[in-house]
């Protein structure tokens, strides 16, 4: 078997995509067309129809395997890395098994369900000297990284307040409303707000509060419909956001400083145009950022880290910090009070130097036994 090479002669990193749900099919698999240093060579799923029909869509796929054959895939010599797009409660197990087989891991967020699972993942990858990256796509996205630079430049003065709303409709039966697999607003979409304020403030929260609410609907039997959060940061900075799985689609954040404010909309979008509204001294400047293939950027970045032996910035430590905050927020909901966090320091933060632009996916593939969270097939 020959090792695939990019057009510049450099070898490509060979990936198995593990889990073929809506996001993997609609965003991850098509992204390999724009990831010149990455190659899709294997698919892992327990749905034989998905394996058969999706493998026919991507000519580079050499093997299709069931979950029972995952370890065979890891030790086959066919792959260099796995992209794990499984339900949250499976991330730890599948990451540790990959690491033990000396296979690099790009794992979707949230990294895991508990802090202990995150530690197990980090230790397994360190012990086996493989790369671990958590799939924070916005760390490579121009609009969000330019927002970081605007705040660092002092244009809005001292950033004091972060506000965000991230809401969508999720249909009954979707894994995002199943508690057992790690569903819920905090884990699924709240992590975007938590991570955004951390990279915008370039700091870590010291105290958190959360409260939840639900309408009496069958789809919210296991997880609440809505959650509102307050995060207190050093220097008396405050962040607040509200999440919902039962409201219209909204994705926006605003950072208010002592001299002005910046609003980003849609802040957490995976595709399409993103806009900045920067207001200073009552005058607003609007800037548009064209839609890009954010998953291609992830594969390009992670493959480059493997090829150049560099540590990914959205590391296991980054994933662990967000999970630690989420766990504290659940504790706050249970107790009804603020929960203090142990001081945490990050030695690296994302910025504009990490932005990678690849053209957007021209045509979404036909979904096989999958639907987006709102129920649209």
């Amino acid at each position: 078997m020959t090792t695939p090479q990019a057009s510049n002669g450099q070898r490509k990193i060979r990936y198995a995509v593990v889990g073929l749900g809506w996001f993997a099919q609609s965003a991850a698999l098509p992204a390999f067309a724009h990831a010149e240093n990455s190659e899709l060579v294997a698919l892992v799923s327990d749905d034989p129809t998905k394996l058969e029909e999706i493998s026919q869509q991507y000519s580079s796929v050499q093997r299709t395997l069931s979950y029972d054959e995952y370890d065979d895939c890891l030790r086959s010599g066919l792959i260099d890395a796995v992209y794990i797009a499984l339900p949250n409660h499976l991330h730890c197990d599948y990451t540790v098994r990959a690491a033990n087989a000396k296979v690099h891991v790009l794992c979707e967020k949230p990294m895991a369900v508990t802090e202990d699972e995150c530690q197990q993942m980090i230790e397994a990858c360190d012990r086996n000297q493989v790369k671990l990256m958590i799939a924070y796509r916005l760390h490579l996205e121009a609009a969000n990284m330019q927002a970081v630079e605007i705040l660092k430049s002092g244009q809005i003065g001292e950033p004091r307040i972060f506000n965000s709303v991230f809401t969508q409709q999720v249909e009954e039966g979707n894994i995002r409303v199943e508690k057992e697999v790690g569903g819920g607003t905090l884990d699924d979409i709240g992590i975007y707000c938590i991570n955004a304020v951390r990279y915008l403030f370039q700091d870590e929260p010291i105290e958190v509060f959360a409260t939840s609410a639900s309408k009496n609907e069958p789809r919210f039997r296991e997880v609440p419909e809505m959650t509102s959060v307050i995060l207190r940061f050093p220097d008396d900075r405050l962040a607040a956001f509200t999440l919902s799985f039962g409201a219209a689609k909204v994705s926006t954040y605003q950072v208010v400083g002592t001299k002005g404010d910046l609003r980003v909309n849609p802040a957490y979008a995976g595709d399409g145009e993103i806009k900045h509204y920067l207001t200073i001294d009552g005058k607003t400047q609007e800037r548009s950022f064209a839609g890009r293939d954010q998953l291609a950027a992830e594969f390009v970045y992670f493959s480059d880290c493997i090829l150049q032996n560099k540590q990914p910035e959205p590391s296991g430590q980054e994933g662990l910090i967000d999970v630690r905050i989420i766990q504290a927020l659940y504790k706050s909901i249970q107790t009804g009070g603020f929960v203090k966090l142990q001081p945490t320091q990050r030695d690296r933060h994302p910025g504009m130097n990490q932005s990678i632009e690849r053209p957007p996916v021209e045509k979404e593939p036909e979904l096989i036994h999958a639907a987006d969270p709102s129920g649209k097939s």
Side-chain angles (χ1 to χ4, degrees):
M1 181 183 63
T2 59
T3 301
Q5 292 188 334
S7 57
N8 62 3
Q10 187 179 49
R11 77 180 184 94
K12 294 184 178 184
I13 297 301
R14 301 164 299 168
Y15 285 81
V17 170
V18 186
L20 298 176
W22 161 72
F23 189 75
Q25 289 190 43
S26 65
L29 297 179
F32 283 96
H34 297 143
E36 64 279 359
N37 59 1
S38 310
E39 184 88 0
L40 172 66
V41 298
L43 302 172
V44 183
S45 171
D46 263 358
D47 186 325
T49 302
K50 286 182 179 180
L51 291 174
E52 180 181 359
E53 296 190 18
I54 294 173
S55 64
Q56 292 174 3
Q57 294 177 22
Y58 299 95
S59 60
S60 61
V61 173
Q62 298 176 32
R63 286 193 68 182
T64 60
L65 306 104
S66 69
Y67 294 130
D68 285 342
E69 297 171 308
Y70 179 60
D71 291 313
D72 296 335
C73 177
L74 295 172
R75 291 177 170 82
S76 66
L78 177 67
I79 64 170
D80 306 299
V82 291
Y83 167 68
I84 297 176
L86 294 165
N88 303 337
H89 72 302
L90 298 175
H91 289 182
C92 178
D93 178 42
Y94 279 74
T95 294
V96 170
R97 287 158 68 186
N100 288 338
K102 312 295 185 185
V103 172
H104 303 285
V105 179
L106 173 57
C107 182
E108 265 303 334
K109 59 196 176 303
M111 180 177 178
V113 177
T114 67
E115 190 176 339
D116 179 64
E117 287 185 341
C118 295
Q119 290 285 10
Q120 290 180 48
M121 295 163 72
I122 293 169
E123 290 168 7
C125 291
D126 286 347
R127 184 171 61 248
N128 290 285
Q129 298 183 314
V130 298
K131 307 297 182 190
L132 171 62
M133 175 172 151
I134 310 305
Y136 289 102
R137 54 184 171 77
L138 298 182
H139 286 213
L140 307 167
E141 190 278 314
N144 276 271
M145 292 303 97
Q146 185 60 39
V148 171
E149 300 304 326
I150 289 171
L151 268 61
K152 287 167 66 175
S153 73
Q155 291 181 64
I156 68 167
E158 179 191 355
R160 301 293 300 154
I161 299 163
F162 171 93
N163 276 309
S164 183
V165 175
F166 195 9
T167 57
Q168 59 185 257
Q169 290 287 353
V170 175
E171 71 166 354
E172 184 176 0
N174 189 276
I175 63 170
R176 288 157 183 79
V177 290
E178 294 182 6
K179 184 178 181 179
E180 185 178 346
V181 300
T185 53
L186 281 173
D187 295 81
D188 190 67
I189 56 178
I191 193 167
Y192 285 92
C193 306
I194 294 167
N195 199 256
V197 69
R198 289 179 53 238
Y199 60 66
L200 291 164
F201 280 0
Q202 303 268 290
D203 211 343
E204 307 298 341
I206 56 176
E207 193 174 25
V208 304
F209 174 83
T211 187
S212 291
S214 286
K215 292 189 292 185
N216 186 23
E217 289 188 36
R219 59 179 164 155
F220 303 124
R221 285 187 302 264
E222 297 183 23
V223 301
E225 176 206 347
M226 295 190 296
T227 305
S228 284
V229 170
I230 299 172
L231 307 178
R232 181 182 291 276
F233 282 78
D235 301 322
D236 285 330
R237 290 167 293 171
L238 292 176
F241 58 86
T242 297
L243 317 161
S244 177
F245 279 160
K249 191 172 184 178
V250 175
S251 164
T252 185
Y253 66 68
Q254 180 184 33
V255 184
V256 182
T258 52
K259 296 179 181 178
D261 73 274
L262 172 67
R263 184 165 59 91
V264 180
N265 184 33
Y268 313 113
D271 55 27
E273 183 183 50
I274 301 175
K275 289 190 175 183
H276 277 194
Y277 301 89
L278 177 62
T279 302
I280 302 170
D281 295 329
K283 297 180 180 179
T284 300
Q285 296 178 326
E286 180 180 324
R287 180 180 176 184
S288 295
F289 296 80
R292 301 293 182 182
D293 188 335
Q294 296 179 15
L295 271 290
E298 281 188 349
F299 291 126
V300 167
Y301 178 82
F302 187 53
S303 293
D304 185 62
C305 286
I306 296 169
L307 292 165
Q308 304 299 326
N309 193 25
K310 299 184 295 187
Q311 288 302 319
E313 178 277 315
S315 63
Q317 185 69 18
E318 179 77 349
L320 182 149
I321 292 170
D322 278 342
V323 170
R324 179 182 294 156
I325 293 167
I326 290 170
Q327 291 299 297
L329 290 168
Y330 281 126
K331 183 177 179 181
S332 174
I333 292 169
Q334 292 171 354
T335 62
F338 275 86
V339 174
K340 292 187 181 298
L341 294 168
Q342 291 296 320
T344 304
Q345 293 297 324
R346 284 277 282 130
D347 58 354
R348 296 170 69 190
H349 296 278
M352 197 63 192
N353 63 316
Q354 284 185 193
S355 173
I356 296 175
E357 296 187 0
R358 293 295 182 274
V361 174
E362 292 182 3
K363 182 181 179 182
E364 284 197 15
E366 180 185 353
L367 298 178
I368 310 300
H369 291 180
D372 77 13
S374 67
K376 183 175 69 173
S377 60

